[in-house]
Amino acid sequence: MANQALYRRYRPGSFAELRGQEPVVRALQNAVQQGRVGHAYLFSGPRGTGKTSTARILAKALNCTDLSSAGEPCGQCQSCLDIANNTSYDLIELDAASNNKVDDVRDLISRVAMGSPGKAKVYVLDEVHMLTPGAENALLKTLEEPPDHVVFVLCTTEPHKVVPTIRSRTQHLEFNLIDGDVLADHARWVVEQAGLEVDDDAIDHAVHRGAGSARDTLSALDQIAAAGGVADRLDAVDTVIEALGGQDYGPAFVAVHDALRSGREPRIIGEAVLDRLRNAFLCAMGADLSHLTDAQQETARATAALIPPAGLTRALEVLGTALVDMRQAPDPRVDLEVALGRLTRRDLDTDIAALLERVERLERRGPPTSAGSSDHDNPTPATEAPTPARRAAGPTSGHERARAAIAQIQAKQTEAEARSAAPAAGGSESEAAPSPERAPRPTLGAVRAGTAPATQPAGPEPSEAD
Ligand SMILES: [Zn+2]
């Protein structure tokens, strides 16, 4: 018991103990209470956010002999104890990542027909998107006509990779990354329960490393406790943020490379950086940061001071796109590294947002010089007298001229985008469509990371009613 990982030892055992997944808990607890539990669920969300723990709690609730009126399992009856000790016949877990063949699923399904000692038999298939097409078909047949006493819980970190025929036969419940303050509370509770000698600073560090995952937070806590303190406070995320602020990209690549080599997932690193940038952006916009821990608020303020708002928005865009691409990428490490390259080596990137950020960075370096004080900054030939209109509205410093030029390019882009979007939105074939040679060329913004065509296909807006 002493050597059992913290996240296993302090796994939530009841709906009340599940942290940060209130909508999911409410939906399941209501279903249990009202006897309306479905035959198949799809639990999707980042790793370590409680999907399989929730499936186990559901199995307890469905078989508990002393269920509370709120739909909460008692945790004391034989069935609850058997499930907690992994000795129950009513809970069958299969890791689809390593048992993805058609025979594995057939073997599982052959047992579905058999009776069950308890009231309900719960089959949990983890990483269900890893099933081979044959295995998916075998599963689909059972999902079409499930026996009354069977509940399937399909878990996945990649719901878009689960075939639509399976998805459509399940109730989809989405798990979210868990808020920092919720994780910090949970970590403090675990430290107290386990009698660990870990200070608040180390807890903040673990929460930071966990990046919204309860499992990763407790694993980090395990490591800190084992090492007798925080060994390296400067992790990959810190170095990347520093590189984004100071443009010294060497250490960022080394740190990210080391983190990947030590087994951290590229998406988790990307999401952690994104999370940090988002907090800084909210801070820069003066938003309420009360959902963050004190340490996270401090980090958000420091990051906002380091990276100007234009830099934050651009980094959020580039990383966000990379994270979406990573889901389909054969090697997500490449997407992460390319995104970091584009963000830290601004000379590699010539899009408008990068230019705007460079201007903003220049402006931050010092106040722009006034029009009269520097000819170097305002090389308008003396022979060309500015008109009153130009004097009133025209840009006066180099930075302002750069901004004005960028604004002009952006206006042209918007115009071009509006032109290209108009026929698609109009939909009427009888209206004069633009001739091919008049069709606008792809804009810089669209070419950048292919965002425009990839994420905004021309066509009707997706409806909100869903
Ligand atoms: Zn019970």
Side-chain angles (χ1 to χ4, degrees):
M1 195 73 179
N3 288 327
Q4 198 178 17
L6 287 175
Y7 80 85
R8 282 195 184 280
R9 221 157 118 202
Y10 296 99
R11 202 171 193 177
S14 64
F15 286 122
E17 285 175 22
L18 269 169
R19 308 292 180 117
Q21 308 297 353
E22 284 73 16
V24 169
V25 167
R26 219 176 300 126
L28 288 176
Q29 220 170 334
N30 283 344
V32 168
Q33 223 177 351
Q34 297 162 6
R36 299 164 68 97
V37 173
H39 278 297
Y41 288 93
L42 179 65
F43 288 0
S44 73
R47 64 188 221 108
T49 50
K51 297 184 295 295
T52 51
S53 296
T54 304
R56 294 167 69 93
I57 295 166
L58 180 65
K60 274 189 190 174
L62 290 174
N63 289 294
C64 181
T65 54
D66 193 16
L67 192 74
S68 83
S69 58
E72 188 74 279
C74 72
Q76 306 294 327
C77 71
Q78 197 54 50
S79 170
C80 282
L81 291 175
D82 285 346
I83 290 174
N85 296 328
N86 294 322
T87 54
S88 174
Y89 290 106
D90 298 323
L91 172 70
I92 292 137
E93 291 181 88
L94 184 84
D95 179 11
S98 47
N99 303 281
N100 61 356
K101 307 284 186 308
V102 66
D103 285 345
D104 298 320
V105 171
R106 282 208 183 114
D107 179 49
L108 181 88
I109 285 163
S110 68
R111 287 181 278 159
V112 167
M114 291 193 279
S116 170
K119 284 178 270 186
K121 202 160 196 164
V122 177
Y123 288 84
V124 182
L125 268 80
D126 204 6
E127 300 298 350
V128 71
H129 64 273
M130 305 281 276
L131 290 178
T132 59
E136 278 175 339
N137 277 333
L139 175 64
L140 191 60
K141 283 196 188 110
T142 312
L143 288 181
E144 278 167 351
E145 289 170 20
D148 267 349
H149 65 288
V150 167
V151 174
F152 278 97
V153 180
L154 314 178
C155 301
T156 181
T157 48
E158 323 260 348
H160 57 280
K161 287 188 185 166
V162 179
V163 287
T165 41
I166 287 185
R167 255 188 310 186
S168 67
R169 284 178 173 78
T170 60
Q171 290 183 40
H172 190 174
L173 296 179
E174 291 176 71
F175 288 66
N176 301 311
L177 286 173
I178 306 164
D179 276 350
D181 52 352
V182 175
L183 279 179
D185 264 359
H186 183 54
R188 265 190 289 275
W189 177 80
V190 167
V191 163
E192 203 182 290
Q193 293 291 310
L196 299 176
E197 298 215 354
V198 172
D199 61 12
D200 272 359
D201 211 20
I203 288 176
D204 278 332
H205 183 77
V207 169
H208 176 99
R209 285 284 290 264
S213 156
R215 188 190 308 167
D216 289 354
T217 301
L218 294 190
S219 296
L221 210 54
D222 252 334
Q223 283 173 15
I224 292 165
V230 180
D232 58 331
R233 284 182 186 275
L234 200 68
D235 70 357
V237 178
D238 287 315
T239 356
V240 168
I241 295 290
E242 272 172 23
L244 292 184
Q247 304 189 51
D248 185 8
Y249 47 87
F253 278 95
V254 172
V256 167
H257 181 72
D258 285 350
L260 292 172
R261 224 176 34 178
S262 70
R264 285 189 82 188
E265 283 182 42
R267 267 187 70 181
I268 297 288
I269 298 174
E271 275 164 9
V273 175
L274 193 78
D275 202 44
R276 193 88 81 79
L277 292 168
R278 181 173 172 268
N279 290 345
F281 179 72
L282 292 177
C283 176
M285 295 296 117
D288 179 26
L289 298 178
S290 57
H291 63 289
L292 303 176
T293 65
D294 287 349
Q296 283 174 324
Q297 290 185 26
E298 189 55 47
T299 310
R301 276 189 287 272
T303 310
L306 193 69
I307 308 172
L312 289 173
T313 46
R314 196 173 83 87
L316 283 167
E317 274 177 22
V318 171
L319 258 180
T321 306
L323 280 168
V324 172
D325 292 345
M326 272 185 217
R327 292 180 180 167
Q328 313 278 5
D331 187 353
R333 288 175 303 180
V334 177
D335 296 76
L336 179 67
E337 284 163 351
V338 169
L340 291 181
R342 292 185 54 206
L343 289 175
T344 50
R345 284 279 306 273
R346 255 153 289 239
D347 52 320
L348 295 178
D349 212 348
T350 54
D351 70 26
I352 293 300
L355 290 174
L356 198 61
E357 193 201 337
R358 273 155 91 165
V359 171
E360 200 166 295
R361 213 171 269 279
L362 284 170
E363 284 173 346
R364 277 203 170 193
R365 231 171 254 173
T369 38
S370 64
S373 69
S374 165
D375 282 348
H376 163 77
D377 205 36
N378 189 7
T380 311
T383 50
E384 195 196 316
T387 63
R390 223 185 124 185
R391 195 187 286 280
T396 52
S397 76
H399 304 149
E400 284 167 25
R401 278 203 308 279
R403 272 190 179 282
I406 289 169
Q408 248 178 2
I409 299 171
Q410 279 178 321
K412 275 184 196 155
Q413 277 190 5
T414 315
E415 208 186 325
E417 273 160 21
R419 266 206 307 275
S420 67
S428 168
E429 299 261 9
S430 62
E431 275 175 34
S435 57
E437 60 271 24
R438 275 191 56 208
R441 289 167 51 191
T443 61
L444 276 176
V447 168
R448 159 168 53 98
T451 48
T455 57
Q456 296 174 342
E461 297 263 314
S463 102
E464 292 270 319
D466 204 340

